[in-house]
Amino acid sequence: MSCTIVVGAQWGDEGKGKIIDILAQDIDIIVRYQGGNNAGHTVVVGDREFILHLVPSGILHKGKLCVIGNGLVIDPLALLNEISMLRKKGIKVDGNLLISQAAHVIFPYHKIIDKRRGAKIGTTGRGIGPCYVDKMARCGIRMIDLVNRDLLKRKLKANLEDSVEFDFEKIYRMYLNYGRRLKGYLADVSLVLNRAIDKNKKILFEGAQGTLLDIDHGTYPYVTSSSATAGGALTGTGVGPTKISKVIGVVKAYTTRVGEGPFPTEFNKSLMEKIRCKGKEFGATTGRPRRCGWFDALIVRHAVGVNGLTEVAVTKLDVLDEMKDIKICIGYKYKGKIYEDFPADIDVLYNGKPLYEEHKGWLQDTGSVTRYRDLPKKARAYLERLAEITKVKIGMVSVGSKRNQAFRIS
Ligand code: IMP
């Protein structure tokens, strides 16, 4: 049995795309299980950069089956555009991609509602939240409905009832057309995956966003609307918990987040500019500058717990190469009380004073290091402290964006 889940252990953008791309070499099937085209997974292959929003990054490896699970919300036009972008770049998609019949569909009205209501949270504006609202309200439209003319008509009519803003006929025809073009990819994903598991195929579940953006375990309400934690891989694909062998968390050597919400270890302006520039910290989906801060052990330890992480991959260690001093947040102080575990109270996260321990920087270039033992001693000490304080083993370290700038730690 070999099913591995990869999740973001912070606020997303941890570099999951690259880690998944490396792991995918030994995998048969790569599966996305939640979210939608709010995600942006960047993978650098040779001198080509790919940014994938819906199709699993495994598509960049020849002969891998890539699956989009029922837990996703799909903007069909965005998906068709991504498929055509991949084809143009010589990547084989047909025969390598399956889409769950039960995944929900994003419509133009979802995007408009998102743009109106999402500003407070700083959403990506892709219609993600409103589409999940319809799913939970049991009026959502699923991929399979796009190939059933009558059902689509009935459901869409009901959803657009009383709306003068939207042209029913136009949207109906547009989505029937998307259905025709995507029909060949539709499948019963749970059946496909469970049969593959019976045949001992290796499966990798690719999480999008991150633990702190999870609807249940994140910094609610400043979260996305899906289950970005490991549990989402089960409900989002129809594979049971007894089939999972490993859960790998991806963490940056520091922290970033995009959009609104509390961020206790956020840098001051000058440090922010420095790290944002060195780490190229701009959103892969919206291009928005990411907020940056020190590594926060409380949030990663929380991620270790709620995901049951068996190991972590630490990314972007090289971004800290020029830092004279490096801090790790080990607690928050709020109204005289010290918090050592991640608090659910948003006031503590907003107003708590982060408590830090300080480490000396290694002030050496790590971008060309290919073995753990060749890292500067102070960089190893930093990583060892991260592992100790977050109570998880580090299995891989990444020191740059290229495929060969990463190594495993046995
Ligand atoms: P939504 O997912 O578009 O509803 O946005 C909700 C929050 O999640 C916002 O703060 C977004 O910036 C954030 N978010 C959504 N997707 C990603 C991602 O892939 N990486 C980082 N942040 C994300």
Side-chain angles (χ1 to χ4, degrees):
M1 190 172 72
S2 180
C3 287
T4 302
I5 302 174
V6 175
V7 291
Q10 292 154 320
W11 275 289
D13 308 316
E14 298 91 350
K16 295 180 290 297
K18 176 181 170 179
I19 300 301
I20 289 159
D21 180 62
I22 292 170
L23 297 172
Q25 291 164 23
D26 306 322
I27 295 285
D28 301 300
I29 306 177
I30 300 99
V31 194
R32 267 284 302 271
Y33 60 84
Q34 43 70 233
N37 62 329
N38 48 350
H41 290 169
T42 307
V43 183
V44 180
V45 183
D47 53 7
R48 294 199 299 173
E49 185 181 85
F50 293 84
I51 300 178
L52 295 161
H53 300 284
L54 279 162
V55 177
S57 8
I59 202 79
L60 304 177
H61 290 267
K62 272 195 190 135
K64 309 282 176 190
L65 178 63
C66 289
V67 176
I68 294 180
N70 57 276
L72 274 90
V73 286
I74 299 176
D75 180 335
L77 182 60
L79 180 55
L80 285 162
N81 287 342
E82 197 163 310
I83 292 173
S84 112
M85 174 277 288
L86 287 165
R87 281 198 196 122
K88 274 190 204 135
K89 292 190 173 182
I91 307 293
K92 184 174 177 295
V93 180
D94 295 339
N96 289 348
L97 178 68
L98 294 180
I99 303 166
S100 169
Q101 302 163 344
H104 279 249
V105 181
I106 297 178
F107 281 80
Y109 45 90
H110 293 132
K111 289 189 244 182
I112 289 178
I113 299 169
D114 196 15
K115 282 185 185 128
R116 270 187 211 144
R117 293 198 198 142
K120 200 175 79 183
I121 288 168
T123 68
T124 59
R126 300 293 191 266
I128 308 297
C131 187
Y132 279 115
V133 166
D134 279 1
K135 174 178 175 175
M136 291 303 172
R138 292 155 295 174
C139 61
I141 296 176
R142 306 192 299 170
M143 288 303 290
I144 191 74
D145 303 338
L146 298 187
V147 294
N148 182 335
R149 301 182 72 89
D150 294 338
L151 186 62
L152 178 62
K153 186 180 261 176
R154 261 185 283 130
K155 284 187 146 186
L156 191 59
K157 265 216 165 114
N159 284 359
L160 291 181
E161 210 176 35
D162 302 331
S163 164
V164 282
E165 218 175 328
F166 298 100
D167 179 344
F168 164 80
E169 272 305 325
K170 192 173 161 205
I171 299 178
Y172 176 58
R173 268 184 273 114
M174 198 156 74
Y175 277 72
L176 273 181
N177 175 40
Y178 296 150
R180 260 193 303 275
R181 293 165 68 191
L182 289 169
K183 190 177 177 179
Y185 299 103
L186 298 187
D188 181 335
V189 158
S190 170
L191 197 67
V192 170
L193 295 178
N194 283 304
R195 282 191 180 148
I197 291 169
D198 289 344
K199 288 186 188 147
N200 288 321
K201 297 282 184 202
K202 293 185 182 150
I203 303 182
L204 194 139
F205 296 85
E206 167 177 347
Q209 289 85 46
T211 302
L212 274 293
L213 288 174
D214 180 276
I215 187 77
D216 287 286
H217 302 290
T219 43
Y220 190 90
Y222 299 97
V223 291
T224 191
S225 298
S226 66
S227 298
T229 42
L234 312 176
T235 53
T237 61
V239 168
T242 50
K243 310 291 180 193
I244 305 300
S245 36
K246 254 194 212 175
V247 187
I248 302 176
V250 184
V251 290
K252 256 179 212 173
Y254 49 99
T255 314
T256 62
R257 89 170 287 176
V258 198
E260 301 306 313
F263 185 173
T265 65
E266 191 164 10
F267 289 142
N268 61 27
K269 207 164 168 243
S270 66
L271 209 45
M272 179 86 78
E273 286 303 318
K274 192 171 170 181
I275 294 292
R276 185 180 283 156
C277 188
K278 172 108 171 112
K280 299 193 180 73
E281 296 294 358
F282 295 89
T285 298
T286 57
R288 288 180 291 177
R290 294 180 187 139
R291 299 157 66 190
C292 307
W294 293 117
F295 187 92
D296 185 333
L298 279 73
I299 70 167
V300 176
R301 205 161 52 227
H302 169 67
V304 172
V306 299
N307 292 295
L309 297 185
T310 50
E311 61 184 86
V312 291
V314 178
T315 61
K316 293 194 153 184
L317 183 71
D318 56 300
V319 175
L320 299 180
D321 284 353
E322 289 155 27
M323 302 299 294
K324 232 169 106 215
D325 300 295
I326 299 174
K327 293 182 185 180
I328 301 174
C329 174
I330 51 163
Y332 313 135
K333 191 170 180 193
Y334 181 61
K335 291 189 174 169
K337 187 174 163 192
I338 306 255
Y339 292 80
E340 286 178 337
D341 291 309
F342 176 75
D345 186 345
I346 205 109
D347 279 350
V348 181
L349 288 165
Y350 263 124
N351 305 312
K353 182 177 173 289
L355 306 172
Y356 291 112
E357 60 177 39
E358 299 213 6
H359 292 252
K360 286 280 159 230
W362 42 95
L363 299 172
Q364 257 177 275
D365 182 14
T366 57
S368 53
V369 173
T370 53
R371 293 181 306 187
Y372 182 69
R373 62 173 181 272
D374 295 337
L375 278 176
K377 201 169 162 212
K378 287 183 181 132
R380 274 184 282 136
Y382 178 65
L383 291 173
E384 275 151 30
R385 182 63 182 141
L386 295 190
E388 180 185 41
I389 199 164
T390 55
K391 299 188 166 42
V392 71
K393 174 181 115 181
I394 298 176
M396 201 190 283
V397 178
S398 166
V399 288
S401 61
K402 303 214 170 80
R403 263 184 186 166
N404 61 2
Q405 289 181 298
F407 44 88
R408 293 181 202 243
I409 307 176
S410 46

